[in-house]
Amino acid sequence: MNDQLVSMITQLVMEKMEKNTGNQAPEVVAPPAEQSLIKIYDTVDNRPTEITESQTTSQGPLIKLYQHGAPQSEPIAPATLEQPFNTAVPIKPFQFEAESLTESVQAAKKHTPARIGVGRAGTRPKTKTWLKFRLDHAAAVDAVYGEVSEELLQKLDVFQVTTKVTDKEEYITRPDLGRRLSEESKALIQQKCKQQPKVQIIISNGLSASAIEENVQDVYLALQQSLSNLNIDIGTTFYIDKGRVALMDEIGELLQAEVIVYLIGERPGLVSAESMSAYLCYKPRIGTVEAERMVISNIHKGGIPPLEAGAYLGTVVQKILHYQASGVELVAKEG
């Protein structure tokens, strides 16, 4: 073959190969602009804080975080992937919702210790209310089943007698037995007590030994002082264990007293387990009706102060002796 022809063919083949190689080379494409993967929106001033990543994506932001209640005075620093997102919002301690009581309920709560406007948690009482209820109930049980201390009786310088009741359970279930003295007690009273006194004072735990422990000393001493100032004769005071109110009828008949003042612990409630009452009656005898009795009740630190109650009882006794009546009859005569 002609050398010149071979050279021309070779040159054409090389040019063809170079052209094909140039057509298959990858095109260099400029990377698109970086897009935000995460956008953090501050709802206070609505300024987004963006977190970018060097990797590219064709989609929009993957995560949007909204920070509610961020303080205006403290701008939020831009977050990074190495920093936890929840640290941007300050942690606040948990607080219970404030009680929203009407004005009438708030006014009533100021004038009564009763459980009103205490609220509920779902269908149940609130924990604080329930615990207070259990505490008051336990105090009421202790008041009923408790006993008056010997130290207090010695301070008052009184002797003790009993009724026909044998124990607390019988005292609660058999009120009739608490209205009668035992035979031994009758003999002891006749032996130690002054007969036919103007005023006979008797004390009993009744349904609340706590009431006697807390109040009787102040009431008794104030009553003694009041009657002494009024020149009213007082008989021999004694203490009755597990007595009922109507027991004053048998004692009145036994000692022939003109007026009996009976200091007794009242049935405890869930507001106070220390309430004491003073029952008064003019010449009580067996068969006396309740309308002939008088009572000064609610004697305790949250009701009538004991010292004030004792002084007031002296004036009531003076009125009973003056009109020779008590209860409804006294009201009628006085009116």
Side-chain angles (χ1 to χ4, degrees):
M1 185 176 293
N2 192 348
D3 293 338
Q4 187 178 0
L5 180 61
V6 172
S7 177
M8 292 178 61
I9 294 172
T10 303
Q11 186 177 357
L12 291 174
V13 170
M14 291 296 295
E15 291 177 357
K16 184 67 175 177
M17 290 178 63
E18 290 178 359
K19 185 177 181 180
N20 293 338
T21 304
N23 294 334
Q24 295 178 359
E27 296 181 359
V28 178
V29 181
E34 293 183 350
Q35 289 186 346
S36 301
L37 297 181
I38 301 174
K39 288 185 179 180
I40 300 177
Y41 288 86
D42 183 0
T43 57
V44 176
D45 52 11
N46 293 324
R47 293 179 303 174
T49 301
E50 298 186 359
I51 300 176
T52 62
E53 173 62 42
S54 58
Q55 298 178 356
T56 60
T57 177
S58 61
Q59 300 178 356
L62 300 180
I63 303 174
K64 294 182 179 179
L65 301 180
Y66 294 87
Q67 298 176 348
H68 297 279
Q72 296 181 2
S73 60
E74 298 181 3
I76 301 174
T80 63
L81 290 176
E82 291 78 12
Q83 180 182 3
F85 298 120
N86 58 358
T87 59
V89 180
I91 299 175
K92 297 180 180 180
F94 177 79
Q95 295 181 350
F96 289 99
E97 295 181 359
E99 296 183 359
S100 56
L101 300 177
T102 62
E103 294 183 359
S104 59
V105 174
Q106 293 178 3
K109 287 175 70 69
K110 294 179 181 179
H111 295 87
T112 176
R115 289 173 171 80
I116 58 175
V118 295
R120 302 184 71 83
T123 60
R124 302 186 180 189
K126 293 184 178 180
T127 301
K128 183 178 180 180
T129 303
W130 176 246
L131 293 177
K132 183 65 168 59
F133 173 83
R134 294 295 302 273
L135 176 64
D136 292 340
H137 181 265
V141 173
D142 290 343
V144 173
Y145 285 90
E147 299 292 344
V148 176
S149 64
E150 289 292 334
E151 291 78 8
L152 178 60
L153 300 182
Q154 291 175 3
K155 286 181 181 179
L156 299 177
D157 191 23
V158 297
F159 66 95
Q160 179 174 334
V161 297
T162 60
T163 62
K164 292 185 177 181
V165 174
T166 57
D167 55 38
K168 284 289 185 180
E169 296 300 330
E170 188 176 52
Y171 174 73
I172 295 172
T173 57
R174 292 290 305 275
D176 57 310
L177 297 180
R179 301 187 185 109
R180 291 291 183 270
L181 293 166
S182 64
E183 296 301 324
E184 297 80 3
S185 297
K186 289 180 182 179
L188 187 60
I189 290 172
Q190 288 178 331
Q191 177 186 349
K192 290 190 172 185
C193 291
K194 177 196 264 187
Q195 292 291 323
Q196 298 182 347
K198 282 283 185 183
V199 179
Q200 175 64 52
I201 302 173
I202 54 180
I203 305 168
S204 178
N205 51 0
L207 285 167
S208 178
S210 301
I212 300 301
E213 288 282 349
E214 291 295 326
N215 306 299
V216 75
Q217 186 171 359
D218 289 340
V219 174
Y220 178 58
L221 295 179
L223 176 58
Q224 276 188 320
Q225 184 65 42
S226 178
L227 294 176
S228 176
N229 293 338
L230 295 171
N231 296 320
I232 298 175
D233 181 45
I234 305 174
T236 308
T237 306
F238 57 92
Y239 171 76
I240 308 167
D241 184 39
K242 304 178 185 66
R244 295 281 182 172
V245 174
L247 183 59
M248 65 193 308
D249 300 344
E250 185 176 15
I251 295 172
E253 194 166 286
L254 192 65
L255 296 178
Q256 297 296 306
E258 285 197 49
V259 179
I260 284 188
V261 180
Y262 194 178
L263 306 177
I264 186 170
E266 284 286 13
R267 181 180 291 105
L270 293 176
V271 171
S272 174
E274 302 172 352
S275 180
M276 190 183 78
S277 291
Y279 288 83
L280 304 95
C281 190
Y282 178 73
K283 290 186 176 180
R285 301 292 184 266
I286 295 177
T288 297
V289 297
E290 296 303 316
E292 298 178 20
R293 307 187 205 279
M294 306 176 64
V295 61
I296 309 299
S297 61
N298 203 34
I299 302 173
H300 60 95
K301 59 185 178 182
I304 303 175
L307 290 174
E308 181 180 333
Y312 176 66
L313 285 171
T315 62
V316 177
V317 169
Q318 183 185 36
K319 190 183 299 183
I320 292 174
L321 291 172
H322 175 72
Y323 289 101
Q324 297 183 348
S326 60
V328 175
E329 187 178 357
L330 174 62
V331 174
K333 287 185 177 181
E334 190 179 14

